[in-house]
Amino acid sequence: MPNFLFFVVMIAIPHKAKQFLLVLVKVLIVGLAFFYIYQHLQADKAISIESIIQYLSIKEVLILLLFTIANWFFEVLKWRNLVGSFKKISFFEATQQTFGSLTASIFTPNRIGEYGAKMLYFKPENSKRIVLLNFIHNGSQMLVTTLFGVFGFLLLTFSKTETMFWIGIKLNFISIILFLIILTIAILILIFFREIEIYGFSIQKIIDKIRKLDRTILLKTFSFSMFRYLIFSTQFLVLLLFFEVDIEISIALATIFTMYLLASILPSIHLMDVAIKGSVALFLFSKLGVEDWKILTITSLMWLFNLVLPVILGSYFVIRFKPKTAE
C-alpha cells in the first residue's frame, strides 16, 4: 500500500534526507495536479471566455462560489463526523485532511489514492480504521447518488413527452443490464469471497465493523452526503438557468440525477471526471434539444468550481503537511 511504502522509506533514511524527500514528494504531487489541470484547460475547446462573460456576471459567479463552499462544507463535516468515532478533530483539521487528500489523489483511478493520503494524517496504528471510515465516507455518497439516480430514471420514464419516453426506455434498458451485472457480481463476491482477507480486510470484517459504529454517526454521514448531492445538483440546475436553457425544472433535475449516476458507474481518474460527466451530459441533454456548447461549458464550470478550486486550496495543505508517526 502507498502509505506502507512511504513509512518504510522514511524509516530507512537519515533525518535530513527524510525532510528533503518529503518536500520533493509534496512538490511533485502539487506539480502533477496543476499540470493535469493545465492540460485539460488547454485541450478543452468548449470553454469560451466570451460566452461565459455573456451569461455570467460577478453576481452569478458569487452565487456559484456559495454553492461550492456549501458543497465542500458538508464534505468536511462528513469526514469530521466519521473520524469523531474514535478521535475528536477540529473543523480545520478535517478541512486539511479533506482537501489535502483530494489533491494527492486527483490523478489516481477513482480517487483510490485518497485512502493512502488520509492515512498519513494519522498514526500508523490507525491505518485500517481510516481505510474503513473513508470507505464509509465514499460509499455513503455513492448510495445517495444511486438512490437519486434511480429516482431520475423513473421521472424520465414517466415523462409524457415522446422524447423523454424513448430516453426513459433506453436508460431503463441500460440500467437493467448494469443492475443485473452488478447484482450478479455482488452475489458471487458475497458467496465465495466473504471471508477472504486483503490487507487484513474481508467483506465479513467490514460488515461487522460498520455494525459496531454508532448509528448516529452513520445517520449523520448519510445526511451530509444527501445535502452535498442536493447542493451540487442544484448548482448544475442553476447553471442551466444562467445559460438560459429552455427546459422544465423537473425534467432537468431528472436528467441531472441520471447523469451523475451513469457517470459514477464508469471508472475514471478523478481529474478527468469532467470528460466522463461531459460526455454523459451531452448524450442526455442533446436529446432535449440543448445546445452542445452550453452543456460542455456548464460541465466544465462545475469542474472548475468543485474540483479545480478545492485542489488549489488542497495544494497549500499538501505543502504544509507533516506525517504522523507512532509514539
Side-chain angles (χ1 to χ4, degrees):
M1 295 178 70
N3 72 308
F4 175 75
L5 295 176
F6 178 84
F7 283 121
V8 169
V9 173
M10 294 300 282
I11 290 171
I13 58 180
H15 179 68
K16 288 187 177 180
K18 288 180 186 179
Q19 291 180 317
F20 175 76
L21 179 60
L22 183 59
V23 171
L24 185 62
V25 169
K26 291 177 181 180
V27 172
L28 181 62
I29 289 173
V30 174
L32 284 173
F34 278 95
F35 174 74
Y36 272 95
I37 292 172
Y38 172 77
Q39 286 290 94
H40 176 77
L41 292 175
Q42 287 292 101
D44 195 342
K45 305 301 181 183
I47 302 178
S48 169
I49 301 299
E50 293 78 14
S51 299
I52 293 175
I53 293 175
Q54 180 183 349
Y55 288 94
L56 298 182
S57 65
I58 297 298
K59 177 183 176 182
E60 279 78 22
V61 170
L62 290 176
I63 290 173
L64 294 172
L65 279 173
L66 286 176
F67 274 105
T68 297
I69 292 170
N71 173 18
W72 285 96
F73 172 76
F74 282 108
E75 180 75 346
V76 172
L77 280 184
K78 184 167 62 168
W79 179 242
R80 184 190 182 198
N81 169 63
L82 282 167
V83 174
S85 63
F86 78 97
K87 178 183 180 181
K88 298 299 180 184
I89 61 174
S90 67
F91 185 84
F92 182 71
E93 287 177 304
T95 301
Q96 285 182 306
Q97 294 167 18
T98 298
F99 289 99
S101 61
L102 171 70
T103 301
S105 66
I106 198 171
F107 36 80
T108 60
N110 287 13
R111 290 176 65 177
I112 192 69
E114 184 181 48
Y115 288 85
K118 280 183 175 173
M119 289 162 67
L120 294 175
Y121 283 97
F122 298 87
K123 295 176 181 178
E125 58 265 30
N126 291 318
S127 295
K128 289 185 179 181
R129 181 177 288 167
I130 295 303
V131 170
L132 176 66
L133 294 178
N134 201 56
F135 173 79
I136 297 171
H137 180 270
N138 293 333
S140 67
Q141 199 66 55
M142 185 62 199
L143 176 61
V144 171
T145 300
T146 302
L147 293 175
F148 276 93
V150 171
F151 180 62
F153 275 130
L154 294 176
L155 280 179
L156 291 181
T157 302
F158 293 107
S159 174
K160 295 181 181 180
T161 65
E162 183 179 349
T163 302
M164 282 294 95
F165 173 78
W166 286 110
I167 290 179
I169 293 296
K170 291 178 181 178
L171 290 178
N172 273 315
F173 177 74
I174 294 172
S175 65
I176 289 171
I177 297 299
L178 288 174
F179 176 76
L180 290 176
I181 292 173
I182 294 172
L183 181 62
T184 302
I185 294 174
I187 291 174
L188 290 174
I189 290 174
L190 286 173
I191 293 175
F192 296 106
F193 304 102
R194 190 183 184 96
E195 302 293 340
I196 294 179
E197 292 191 10
I198 301 177
Y199 293 112
F201 286 95
S202 68
I203 295 174
Q204 186 60 54
K205 282 187 176 181
I206 291 174
I207 293 173
D208 292 340
K209 288 184 179 296
I210 291 176
R211 285 176 177 171
K212 290 179 181 178
L213 283 176
D214 190 329
R215 290 187 179 181
T216 302
I217 290 177
L218 295 176
L219 181 60
K220 284 184 178 180
T221 300
F222 180 80
S223 299
F224 292 149
S225 294
M226 187 169 63
F227 290 148
R228 277 202 72 212
Y229 186 90
L230 292 174
I231 288 167
F232 61 69
S233 295
T234 304
Q235 187 180 27
F236 198 104
L237 176 64
V238 167
L239 273 167
L240 289 173
L241 298 177
F242 285 166
F243 278 83
E244 300 175 1
V245 174
D246 186 17
I247 182 174
E248 292 182 25
I249 300 296
S250 60
I251 297 300
L253 284 173
T255 308
I256 291 169
F257 295 163
T258 303
M259 174 196 72
Y260 280 123
L261 177 59
L262 293 178
S264 65
I265 292 173
L266 301 173
S268 67
I269 295 176
H270 191 54
L271 189 63
M272 295 296 103
D273 195 43
V274 63
I276 300 295
K277 285 189 175 67
S279 59
V280 174
L282 273 179
F283 167 74
L284 295 173
F285 283 98
S286 63
K287 305 296 183 183
L288 302 173
V290 181
E291 296 172 83
D292 287 356
W293 75 267
K294 287 188 177 182
I295 292 303
L296 289 173
T297 301
I298 288 170
T299 53
S300 295
L301 285 171
M302 287 289 292
W303 177 76
L304 285 168
F305 277 98
N306 292 301
L307 186 63
V308 174
L309 293 181
V311 164
I312 292 172
L313 177 59
S315 298
Y316 169 77
F317 292 130
V318 167
I319 295 297
R320 293 181 59 85
F321 169 75
K322 293 181 180 178
K324 294 287 184 180
T325 56
E327 292 180 349

